[in-house]
Amino acid sequence: MTTLTLAKALNEGLRRSMEDDPKVLLMGEDVGKLGGVFRVTDGLQKDFGEDRVIDTPLAESGIIGTAIGLALRGYRPICEIQFDGFVFPAADQIITQLAKMPLRSLGTLKLPVVVRIPCGGGIGAVEHHSESPEAYFTHTAGLRVVACSNPADAYTMIQDAVRCDDPIIFFEPKRRYWDKAEVDLADPGLPLDRARVVRPGRDVTLVAYGPMVKTCLEAASAAEEDGRDIEVIDLRSLNPLDAEVLTESVTRTGRCVVVHEAPVFTGFGAEIAARVTERCFYHLEAPVLRVGGFSTPYPPSRLEEHYLPDLDRVLDAVDRSFAY
């Protein structure tokens, strides 16, 4: 067991992937000499060379387009999008090429490309640096979309993503980069497409992913003082979605609250709410409720604490569920 921050766990997972397969490449803005703005790739260019850890121009569309070409030639590129709001110039390559080419070729072409995206707010950043764009990509058929929430998952999930032959959008919760936890470097972890019950409970199910998992765990601990036993699920994979874990939990608790940083309106929580309602309708004691950001552009940093879902907003939704 080793104590690692989430950023260092990703670094160790990337290092292990590059050691295991010489075809694995890292590419992105400032990922080499600087080690990335969050130091996730720190030391990798020094150890693996400039041919495998590549500092690219400031051109996200070019980064993804180049990665597609490399994947077609047998490489396994890992692309870093420096901040979540920078991914949109690359959307054309991701949506019209990366997601569609395997089916376009009837499966004869594989595109094992991982697109790493630091996501979410909470770091006091300027505009375009605190977005939650997951719903754009979960709606894009042909992409896997995953989100780690803790160091142990970060370490195993990034390795699983690199080994996968499908294109993967890999979300990293940037305000959790410095959270520390024990990581068993010998533990292979759960399969990449499985959800995890991170806190068992019997009264209500909280569903979250990425940065909101920690917030939900804090809310569950606070609710325990009021005698409520809350179950918390970390989805880990958004597409494909592990509906079986959701169904089992909500069938047992009868209540469900979905939490994410992105705006509630047409956010990924809407899919969770619909899926749970379809599968658990006769077991629900209340409607599935959603907690998220407001339907506004992400605000200036001095206002973000009012925008981001916090413990009180999560517990308010739990109270509303019990009011039915």
Side-chain angles (χ1 to χ4, degrees):
M1 301 291 288
T2 305
T3 301
L4 298 174
T5 64
L6 193 149
K8 185 60 176 176
L10 286 166
N11 180 280
E12 290 296 325
L14 291 168
R15 179 179 297 278
R16 179 69 62 87
S17 295
M18 298 188 75
E19 290 171 347
D20 290 346
D21 187 348
K23 291 290 188 178
V24 174
L25 308 176
L26 268 171
M27 53 196 301
E29 299 160 9
D30 299 319
V31 300
K33 292 181 180 179
L34 182 65
V37 292
F38 296 105
R39 303 301 186 266
V40 171
T41 56
D42 189 38
L44 297 180
Q45 188 181 75
K46 174 178 174 292
D47 294 338
F48 294 98
E50 295 183 6
D51 290 340
R52 293 189 65 194
V53 182
I54 304 161
D55 281 317
T56 68
L58 306 183
E60 287 78 14
S61 182
I63 293 170
I64 303 302
T66 302
I68 292 171
L70 286 165
L72 291 173
R73 296 293 292 175
Y75 291 92
R76 291 183 175 271
I78 307 167
C79 305
E80 178 180 300
I81 302 296
Q82 195 171 71
F83 282 92
D84 34 44
F86 299 174
V87 74
F88 300 111
D92 178 36
Q93 291 286 348
I94 293 173
I95 295 170
T96 65
Q97 304 299 334
L98 184 63
K100 292 180 172 57
M101 195 171 290
L103 181 61
R104 185 185 301 149
S105 67
L106 300 180
T108 59
L109 298 177
K110 306 291 186 185
L111 289 181
V113 177
V114 177
V115 182
R116 294 179 41 244
I117 306 177
C119 67
I123 64 167
V126 297
E127 192 178 25
H128 309 307
H129 289 67
S130 302
E131 307 297 325
S132 298
E134 62 269 18
Y136 294 105
F137 299 111
T138 57
H139 191 66
T140 302
L143 297 175
R144 288 178 180 257
V145 181
V146 301
C148 61
S149 68
N150 60 79
D153 272 349
Y155 176 72
T156 58
M157 288 174 68
I158 191 62
Q159 294 179 71
D160 289 342
V162 173
R163 285 191 291 263
C164 183
D165 285 335
D166 299 325
I168 295 181
I169 306 297
F170 193 99
F171 284 108
E172 304 166 6
K174 67 170 78 75
R175 66 167 151 154
R176 308 300 185 201
Y177 272 144
W178 302 278
D179 288 1
K180 292 183 178 180
E182 293 289 311
V183 178
D184 184 352
L185 300 181
D187 184 359
L190 286 178
L192 189 61
D193 57 357
R194 298 292 176 84
R196 173 183 279 116
V197 177
V198 291
R199 179 187 171 114
R202 64 176 184 274
D203 295 334
V204 59
T205 301
L206 290 182
V207 181
Y209 52 88
M212 284 291 101
V213 173
K214 182 177 181 179
T215 302
C216 287
L217 287 170
E218 292 170 348
S221 296
E224 192 173 23
E225 299 176 6
D226 296 328
R228 286 180 175 159
D229 189 14
I230 294 180
E231 181 150 300
V232 180
I233 293 177
D234 180 356
L235 288 179
R236 301 175 74 250
S237 175
L238 309 188
N239 190 12
L241 179 67
D242 189 354
E244 298 305 320
V245 168
L246 290 173
T247 301
E248 190 281 329
S249 177
V250 179
T251 297
R252 188 164 29 79
T253 65
R255 303 176 192 276
C256 181
V257 177
V258 189
V259 185
H260 54 58
E261 281 193 19
V264 170
F265 185 71
T266 68
F268 186 68
E271 174 63 29
I272 302 299
R275 192 72 65 94
V276 168
T277 301
E278 290 170 0
R279 285 174 162 252
C280 307
F281 183 78
Y282 291 106
H283 299 276
L284 288 172
E285 300 291 338
V288 180
L289 301 179
R290 293 175 289 158
V291 179
F294 303 113
S295 292
T296 67
Y298 197 88
S301 58
R302 69 177 62 185
L303 297 176
E304 68 177 350
E305 66 178 282
H306 302 292
Y307 176 88
L308 292 169
D310 59 9
L311 181 148
D312 290 333
R313 278 163 63 184
V314 174
L315 291 179
D316 177 68
V318 170
D319 289 341
R320 286 189 285 121
S321 181
F322 277 95
Y324 281 92

